[in-house]
Amino acid sequence: MSEKKSAKAKRLKTAGKLGKLMEDYYTESAVVKAEKKPVAWLTSVAPVEVCYALDVFPLYPENYATMCSARKLSAEFCAEAEAKGFSPDLCSYALNSFGSIYLDKGPFMGKGLPEPDMLIATEHACLSMAKWWEVLARHYNVPLYVVDAALPIDEEVTSYQVKYFADQLRELVAFVEEHSGNKFDMDRFKEVLGYSDEASKLFTEVADLRKTIPSPVTPVEIFTNMFPLVTLAGKRESTEFYREFRDEIKALAEKKVPAVPNEKYRLLWDLFPVWYNLRLFSYMEEKGGVVVADVYATAFGGRIDISRPFEGLAERYVANPILTSGVPNLTELYKRLVKEFSVDGVVFHSNRSCRMASMGQYDIKQGIFDDLGVPGAIFETDFIDPRTYSDEQVKDTLDSLFEILEARK
Amino acid sequence: MIADFQEKYSNRHQIAGQWKKDGKKVFGYFCGYVPEELISAAGIIPVRVLGSLDTVSLADAHLQTFICAFARSCLDQGLKGVYDYLDGIVISKTCDITRKMLGIWAKNINIPFTAFIGAPSKRTESARDCLTEEFRDLRSKLEEFTGKKIDDDSINRSIEIYNNSRQLLNELYEMKKADNPPLSGSEFYQIVKTGFVTPKEEYNEMLSALKAKLASSKPSGDGKVRLMVSGSTFEDVNVLKMIEDVGGNVVADDLCIGSRYFRDLTQPASDPIRALADRYQMRITCPCKHPSDERLYRLIEEVKEYRVQGVISIVQKYCDTHLFEYPYMRDMLQKNDIPFLYLETEDRMGEEGQFKTRVQAFLEMMG
Ligand code: SF4
Ligand code: SF4
């Protein structure tokens, strides 16, 4: 970690705990593997709760990719995947994952992730996930379960769409039981869902506290603190962590302690951070631009109706607002965030790896400007592979947004 | 005969404009997973939205550079008003680009009706149940739009017409197994494309007439290298002509605008919506679906059946699902000793020229 980041990390007490949670998690993964206990690899927005309920250790190649990127390993990994014939245009999360496997290298103990005993993928965030997991299944020759979703776009979720997902969750339970040898227990499942729901609720509370002017929390603190939300969803530790995080931010908000001293412009951030260059946020902050809302965190989590465990969990996934919206509804969603968080400008990170999430940004930017007069700027780069990154170009784009904002104040 | 197909395709927008003047309704659909049978049963003419080889000018303001040229070209055509005759568009959940396209069309192009089918990917019983409900929803939306009920009989009739059409295409495709196929690759795919923009009754008559004529023709041996083309949505027949010019002939395909479209027929069932759901969920997969291995197994089989000497893969740059599968496909072909050439198409502007030397070298290598 850079000095700057650790200096910033000290601002919050919970920051140190996060580091420990991450370290413990990866250490445990190695221990679990050594003890021959079952390990599953999951895509993001996959029902990890089933794994925790069945004592299967879940690993996330996507989260792992962000860490490889932060440790400057991604360029090498992506290049290795390309040498094997994978197009450089594919999602670099996937390329990073393949490269790390082929080279058996990574940020933890110098090795790649512990090998999976089973694979679990969703494909409602994007199809690349299912394709990527198919490659993994062939490589490791282990069973794969894809949780598929029939999604609406800009319409209400239907009962049969929920049913289809819920049916598969039941199948997934049977799949994990079969390949782990562990037995499913409904009470345990409900307990896990409870923790997951609670973590999600607490995280949303933190996000809402960013409505406070000045914002009590920085975007880097938000993004790095998403780790337990994604990875430890359903663990007591995750919920405890978020309770402390929420309390800490809440206290700061009540005292109106600014996370960034000279907050001048409040920004909405779409979507992924540039994982190898989180300093971009500091660059904006030096100019008084503070990201106070983002769409990325909104895409994870969501509440669960625990009284109907399978349907409740299915609803969380199938009704994900980011994944079920097209340009018209997304524009409305962003406009709502702009208003609720008193946003002055919108920064769009057009991520060449993620066509699914980036498509439509030009229309959304225009829509926000037309309806609310709030300007936006779009810069294009890759979120974890730095090989095509141009700091100058990105900063030029940000500067021109600041010029517009300056002229308006 | 082929010229008729060619002409219809070239004039497709004028022809559709005429339908409108005659008071008919026309819908555009975006890929091979939209049940045209239902749209047609509603008394609406479905046409497939395809791109063109025109220079893209308007779509660039809406799409990043990393969106495939096919979707870009389609949107560009829409923005230019070429598809202004459409009363509606229907999109099914296939690739991420197509899924996001709906909103961009809805926002920028004035189209009275839009529908999205949240199609599942898998081939399980519960996926088929789900798709059945999706199709029922589509039926209700269509009924609401036209103000007319769509009864089972009209769906059954529509299924029959479409089955007929697919059957005829299969028979023509079958003819390509011959030593000297009566239709060249470029001719055959022109015929398939015309089917996407022609009412099926009329198209079926054209196909039957063509079939009868071909049965009596005596083509001479062409001595060309027998090839298969595989890849993403691909509608540039010029590339196929170029392949023929340098001594190859495409006798089989694994294309979304080819055999993947017509291979599977709908099996009659008491509930026609269910029958359609079964057909669309169980049809030969596009790599957007899971699991998609079956497509590649069939490809290998077909290479044998059609005595294919080499496979040319033409993939749209930025087409994720096909790109993810490429190394696997390459290895599988290698294992089966099938010569293989990979071409990536980016802007579709005169690319046949750039590809020519590579295809030539490929054919030479096979001797
Ligand atoms: S394409 Fe986008 S949603 Fe899919 S894995 Fe990559 S980053 Fe995630
Ligand atoms: S070519 Fe590929 S990416 Fe483009 S629309 Fe077709 S399937 Fe989607």
Side-chain angles (χ1 to χ4, degrees), chain B residues 10 73 75 84 137 151 163 203 214 219 228 258 270 301 313 335 358:
Chain B
S10 310
S73 172
L75 178 65
D84 276 358
D137 265 7
D151 57 25
N163 270 350
Y203 181 60
L214 291 179
M228 172 190 272
S270 54
E301 260 169 47
S313 176
K335 231 181 276 154
R358 297 192 52 201

Side-chain angles (χ1 to χ4, degrees), chain A residues 322-386:
Chain A
I322 304 296
L323 305 179
T324 53
S325 297
V327 163
N329 280 11
L330 281 174
T331 308
E332 291 312 310
L333 192 137
Y334 285 49
K335 276 163 58 188
R336 208 188 69 225
L337 291 174
V338 165
K339 287 190 223 150
E340 288 178 0
F341 289 81
S342 322
V343 166
D344 303 299
V346 188
V347 182
F348 293 89
H349 169 196
S350 170
N351 173 12
R352 55 181 294 287
S353 262
C354 188
R355 286 177 252 290
M356 152 58 201
S358 304
M359 225 175 128
Q361 283 173 326
Y362 286 94
D363 280 294
I364 296 169
K365 170 174 168 274
Q366 191 62 43
I368 298 173
F369 184 74
D370 290 346
D371 296 348
L372 302 177
V374 169
I378 302 185
F379 70 86
E380 183 171 317
T381 177
D382 188 89
F383 62 168
I384 67 151
D385 178 359

Side-chain angles (χ1 to χ4, degrees), chain A residues 25-31 33-34 39 41 57 59-65 67-68 73 76-77 95-116 136 139-140:
Chain A
Y25 167 79
Y26 281 105
T27 311
E28 195 187 338
S29 75
V31 174
K33 193 73 212 170
V39 170
W41 285 16
F57 194 90
L59 282 167
Y60 282 90
E62 284 159 274
N63 173 261
Y64 187 69
M67 276 187 294
C68 294
L73 293 164
E76 183 192 357
F77 292 175
L95 295 175
N96 180 92
S97 152
F98 298 152
S100 153
I101 292 168
Y102 298 141
L103 296 167
D104 193 16
K105 260 178 90 169
F108 288 94
M109 292 168 271
K111 310 269 275 174
L113 279 176
E115 290 186 11
L136 295 176
H139 179 83
Y140 286 115

Side-chain angles (χ1 to χ4, degrees), chain A residues 43-45 62 90-94 124-130 132-133 271-272 296 300 323 351-358 383, chain B residues 96 320 324:
Chain A
T43 60
S44 65
V45 287
E62 284 159 274
L90 290 171
C91 173
S92 56
Y93 272 181
H124 55 304
C126 78
L127 278 182
S128 294
M129 292 184 186
W132 166 5
W133 257 243
L271 178 93
F272 295 92
Y296 185 59
F300 292 88
L323 305 179
N351 173 12
R352 55 181 294 287
S353 262
C354 188
R355 286 177 252 290
M356 152 58 201
S358 304
F383 62 168
Chain B
D96 296 334
D320 290 322
F324 263 107

Side-chain angles (χ1 to χ4, degrees), chain B residues 24-45:
Chain B
K24 295 193 176 116
K25 296 249 179 288
V26 188
F27 272 18
Y29 66 93
F30 275 66
C31 97
Y33 278 91
V34 172
E36 294 164 73
E37 290 88 341
L38 263 184
I39 299 173
S40 177
I44 298 165
I45 305 174

